[in-house]
Amino acid sequence: MTRNDVARLAGTSPAVVSYVINNGPRPVSAAARQRVLDAIKQLGYRPNAVARSLRSRRSWTIGVIASDSAGGKSPFFGQFTRACEEVAWQRGYSVLFGNSAEDPARAEGYVRGFLERQVDGLVLMRVPVSADQAEEMRGRVPVVTIDHAAPPFFSRLAVDDEEGGYQATRHLLEHGHRRIGFVGGPLDITPVRLRAAGWRRALQEAEAAAGSEAGLVEEGELSLEGGYEAALRLLSSPSRPTALFASIDGQAIGAMRAAADLGLRVPGDVAVVGFDGAREAAYTVPGLSTISQPIDEMARHATETLVGAIESEGVEPVTKIFSATLVTRGSCGCPEPRLHH
């Protein structure tokens, strides 16, 4: 199987096939690019990666490290990494994935291992790095961080977590709730801390719960199980909250199960709102109201930012904060929308 075979099937010249595979040096129209990619897939064509790397001085590989890359704890990560991989493939890059499992030593090992494999760039999803390791990466590969504080020489993408927490809590206050509990992950995680700050600000503005947080906060692992266990503790209290805001959708889904196990109805006895906008939120019963992050858009922007930095020297790091949107369903007491078939 040769490049000429791909060109014949795609109806282009071998040069155009080369431009698509190597992302240049000349531009290719979107239609022609797609025909070439379709022909490559249909024929199972595999270019000589070693020769390609020697010519371009690149590995045509990027590393993506997440604190839960498989999405087993939070659906956010699985959806984000899938979208990253799709954009990388369209731009001619392979992706190496690493799951740090919220272990700093494991994250450091993945960073070191990916650098040894000469990846062209890194995406770090809620993965902290030490100052020494950040300096090691500086000037060596471009880095984009997601939902985490970053040194100024890394690009950083995040959602407006505090505003999202504020929106969720304001919505529950508008439903008449005054004791609104917060089911959160460890508060030393930046997005969780900011979402809690938005929840607290909305309560303070409404002078809800007499301005006290006593009995309203439970920390748990950022997972279905963590949300379930934290919600059990909150909802078993004699002065239990009448509504819960969870720092991720996975925790919110776990909280809904905890309510059911305690004989409480959602939203009749306890309303629930999550955060992330994961696809799974539409399929709970009732549907989970959530603060939706533009996950696919963030993943596309992260990958395009990284590829742009890889392919153009001297590109300045960027910081972009995305807006979050309240999506209402039945779990908060709003009308339950029908799923589109």
Side-chain angles (χ1 to χ4, degrees), residues 152-235:
F153 44 87
F154 288 176
S155 290
R156 175 176 177 260
L157 275 63
V159 75
D160 192 338
D161 291 295
E162 182 174 350
E163 181 59 26
Y166 178 82
Q167 283 186 49
T169 311
R170 283 297 313 170
H171 185 69
L172 290 168
L173 288 163
E174 289 164 2
H175 275 285
H177 296 284
R178 286 299 177 268
R179 282 191 62 79
I180 302 171
F182 178 69
V183 175
L187 293 175
D188 59 352
I189 296 176
T190 301
V192 176
R193 184 175 68 253
L194 292 172
R195 292 169 195 183
W199 163 81
R200 188 175 299 109
R201 175 161 61 95
L203 288 183
Q204 290 171 346
E205 285 184 3
E207 298 181 351
S212 171
E213 295 179 22
L216 290 180
V217 179
E218 280 289 346
E219 293 185 44
E221 186 182 62
L222 287 172
S223 65
L224 293 164
E225 296 84 0
Y228 177 83
E229 293 165 1
L232 276 181
R233 294 191 293 271
L234 277 173
L235 297 177

Side-chain angles (χ1 to χ4, degrees), residues 199-288:
W199 163 81
R200 188 175 299 109
R201 175 161 61 95
L203 288 183
Q204 290 171 346
E205 285 184 3
E207 298 181 351
S212 171
E213 295 179 22
L216 290 180
V217 179
E218 280 289 346
E219 293 185 44
E221 186 182 62
L222 287 172
S223 65
L224 293 164
E225 296 84 0
Y228 177 83
E229 293 165 1
L232 276 181
R233 294 191 293 271
L234 277 173
L235 297 177
S236 298
S237 166
S239 57
R240 64 173 177 81
T242 63
L244 297 175
F245 167 50
S247 59
I248 65 169
D249 284 344
Q251 286 183 316
I253 293 169
M256 290 171 68
R257 177 56 191 258
D261 284 357
L262 291 171
L264 301 174
R265 295 171 296 116
V266 176
D269 298 312
V270 57
V272 180
V273 177
F275 198 120
D276 273 342
R279 294 187 180 99
E280 290 84 349
Y283 292 88
T284 60
V285 179
L288 176 63

Side-chain angles (χ1 to χ4, degrees), residues 14-82:
V16 170
V17 175
S18 177
Y19 299 153
V20 172
I21 292 172
N22 295 304
N23 282 307
R26 294 186 180 179
V28 178
S29 71
R33 175 181 291 274
Q34 192 59 54
R35 291 201 307 274
V36 170
L37 293 174
D38 290 343
I40 288 172
K41 186 175 182 180
Q42 182 176 335
L43 294 172
Y45 174 68
R46 294 291 182 269
N48 187 319
V50 174
R52 184 187 181 202
S53 296
L54 288 172
R55 287 194 303 269
S56 63
R57 296 183 181 179
R58 296 184 204 148
S59 67
W60 299 94
T61 304
I62 63 176
V64 177
I65 306 172
S67 57
D68 178 28
S69 64
K73 293 183 178 180
S74 171
F76 170 86
F77 293 108
Q79 188 172 335
F80 192 102
T81 53
R82 282 194 298 272

